Amino acid sequence: MKAVIIGGGIAGTVTAMALRRAGIEASVHEAYASGGEDAGAFLTIMHNGMDALRAIGADGPVIGNSFGAVGLELVTPDGRTVDRRSYDLDGLPGPRTMTRASLYRTLQEEAISRGIAIERGKRLVSASPGVARFEDGSTAEGDILIGADGLRSVVRTIIDPDCPPPRSTGLDVVYGYTTDTSVPQAPSIYRMVQSLHAFFGYTSVPDGSTYWFARLPTAEGVRVGLSAAEWRSVALAAFDGEPLPAAEIIRSTGDDVFGGHSYDVPSTPVWSTASMVLVGDAAHAASPAAGQGASMALEDSVVLAQCLRDLPDAPTAFAAYERLRRARVEKLVASSAALSSGTVSDEGRNWLYRHHIEWDETITA
Ligand SMILES: Cc1cc2nc3c(=O)[nH]c(=O)nc-3n(C[C@H](O)[C@H](O)[C@H](O)COP(=O)(O)OP(=O)(O)OC[C@H]3O[C@@H](n4cnc5c(N)ncnc54)[C@H](O)[C@@H]3O)c2cc1C
């Protein structure tokens, strides 16, 4: 069997590595011409995502290019720390933080070192059973097509032209990096600050610089095409005057500020046809609140490869994959949406973090 994978992001590269480990040939076709796109944001892979990488022996390079955290602190609008949670879960691999660009690069380099072909500058425009067609006029042929092409997946619309579009989460998210080491530090923890109007989180990088984000309740389309300085001003305005570290950290940040509106995909009714299937954000995208989108994409990738390894044909494998994945990912998207809107607290997340994939387990139909 030969798999053509569309998208060389998180799900695409890891699906290719997992398929290779399962003895299935795969090639990756990425729209962007160079590696490490979308460099703006940073992200965190939680215990379950690291577990999925470990299942295929790909956790080492990610650990080597990231930094860890031992827990999370919650701070109230008046500056009091009201909760502390440990990430030490009986020796499970803990969360790792890195820039998105670094994660993409790390996974792509690891995939290439395992002999996987990643073709860049290949933007999928259409597909039919057995053949993918790209914007530059070229094609790729395979027995199955895997859509790992993210939030605005083209493969999703090929599988089901009536699939619902991504939904606004009602949040703009602003990310920044400051190298000013005199701002309040949060070494080895994620400090989350619920202010009166918005939510702020930050963590210290081992070199003393700080990664931060702000989630600002905003309707879709209100802030479009803002410059770094404008995003910084918007974020600053949300926290200025409060007895919190947010404003000081934002003020110390230069042009390393990136912002945009965020979306989710609560449920994609059709995940597959006889020869096409979706993984990661293409199938289900969560709001950034739960910090789980990448981890879910990693879980999908490994489980899909197990199904294709163990089951006799693609349709049976796709059915098993959906049976194993749909309820979990849709629960996560719903829980992240509730977190975004502040209707639930970030508690009871063991069902997420303690999820374990045993690579050698045999999947049955
Ligand atoms: C602001 C923000 C913060 C986030 N923070 C976190 C976090 O802390 N932790 C976490 O777990 N998750 C986080 N997420 C979610 C996470 O980024 C996604 O869930 C994850 O990237 C999904 O991986 P993916 O491979 O499915 O999609 P992507 O990483 O988006 O990769 C899709 C790839 O497909 C390519 N592509 C798209 N269209 C085509 C096409 N037509 N042809 C060929 N290639 C194509 C793209 O260029 C891209 O490389 C965050 C998301 C956002 C927006």
Side-chain angles (χ1 to χ4, degrees), residues 10-11 30-32 44 100 104 122 124 149 175 281 291-294:
I10 299 167
E30 164 58 40
Y32 282 95
T44 295
R100 182 186 297 272
Y104 278 23
K122 298 290 172 188
L124 184 85
D149 49 345
Y175 283 81
D281 276 12
Q292 274 283 339

Side-chain angles (χ1 to χ4, degrees), residues 6-12 29-32 37-38 41-46 100 104 108 122-125 134 148-155 173 175 261-263 279-282 284-288 290-297:
I6 306 302
I10 299 167
H29 305 265
E30 164 58 40
Y32 282 95
E37 273 65 37
D38 197 6
F42 58 90
L43 48 71
T44 295
I45 300 181
M46 296 304 293
R100 182 186 297 272
Y104 278 23
Q108 289 171 1
K122 298 290 172 188
R123 180 172 294 279
L124 184 85
V125 287
F134 303 103
D149 49 345
L151 181 71
R152 308 268 169 202
S153 170
V154 172
V155 181
V173 185
Y175 283 81
H261 198 69
S262 72
Y263 297 84
V279 280
D281 276 12
H284 49 78
S287 80
Q292 274 283 339
S295 297
M296 288 291 150

Side-chain angles (χ1 to χ4, degrees), residues 150-153 156 163-169 262-269 271 278 280-287 326 329-334 337:
L151 181 71
R152 308 268 169 202
S153 170
R156 188 199 297 137
C163 63
R167 173 182 77 171
S168 162
T169 63
S262 72
Y263 297 84
D264 66 6
V265 176
S267 182
T268 297
W271 278 24
L278 303 172
D281 276 12
H284 49 78
S287 80
R326 184 182 275 279
V329 297
E330 290 188 356
K331 181 176 173 184
L332 177 267
V333 178

Side-chain angles (χ1 to χ4, degrees), residues 3 69 76 108 118 123 207 234 239-240 327 351 361:
T76 56
Q108 289 171 1
I118 300 184
R123 180 172 294 279
D207 68 6
V234 164
F239 302 99
D240 219 3
W351 68 274
E361 181 190 338

Side-chain angles (χ1 to χ4, degrees), residues 9-250:
I10 299 167
T13 47
V14 174
T15 301
M17 286 191 267
L19 286 175
R20 193 172 182 93
R21 184 162 271 228
I24 297 168
E25 191 193 341
S27 57
V28 177
H29 305 265
E30 164 58 40
Y32 282 95
S34 60
E37 273 65 37
D38 197 6
F42 58 90
L43 48 71
T44 295
I45 300 181
M46 296 304 293
H47 307 72
N48 48 309
M50 292 307 298
D51 175 82
L53 283 171
R54 191 162 68 170
I56 58 160
D59 52 332
V62 171
I63 291 170
N65 288 301
S66 61
F67 59 96
V70 297
L72 174 146
E73 286 183 3
L74 283 176
V75 181
T76 56
D78 60 3
R80 285 177 303 121
T81 300
V82 288
D83 197 4
R84 287 192 170 84
R85 292 178 207 153
S86 169
Y87 283 143
D88 181 13
L89 301 180
D90 313 327
L92 290 179
R96 307 294 305 183
T97 299
M98 71 225 85
T99 62
R100 182 186 297 272
S102 170
L103 177 60
Y104 278 23
R105 251 194 323 270
T106 301
L107 293 175
Q108 289 171 1
E109 282 170 11
E110 181 63 17
I112 290 166
S113 78
R114 294 181 184 204
I116 291 159
I118 300 184
E119 287 199 39
R120 302 185 201 281
K122 298 290 172 188
R123 180 172 294 279
L124 184 85
V125 287
S126 68
S128 45
V131 56
R133 294 179 207 85
F134 303 103
E135 201 173 47
D136 64 2
S138 62
T139 58
E141 292 183 11
D143 305 294
I144 58 170
L145 182 87
I146 299 177
D149 49 345
L151 181 71
R152 308 268 169 202
S153 170
V154 172
V155 181
R156 188 199 297 137
T157 60
I158 293 170
I159 287 177
D160 177 11
D162 296 325
C163 63
R167 173 182 77 171
S168 162
T169 63
L171 293 171
D172 281 349
V173 185
V174 188
Y175 283 81
Y177 308 87
T178 175
T179 51
D180 182 346
T181 53
S182 69
V183 298
Q185 298 277 305
S188 304
I189 56 160
Y190 305 124
R191 187 167 289 131
M192 304 292 183
V193 178
Q194 178 64 65
S195 102
L196 293 175
H197 311 293
F199 193 87
F200 185 80
Y202 67 106
T203 186
S204 300
V205 187
D207 68 6
S209 58
T210 298
Y211 287 5
W212 61 265
F213 70 85
R215 293 203 297 263
L216 316 172
T218 321
E220 185 182 15
V222 172
R223 299 188 189 110
V224 179
L226 269 56
S227 66
E230 288 165 334
W231 278 117
R232 188 178 51 235
S233 301
V234 164
L236 187 58
F239 302 99
D240 219 3
E242 294 185 353
L244 298 168
E248 186 181 345
I249 292 172
I250 296 169

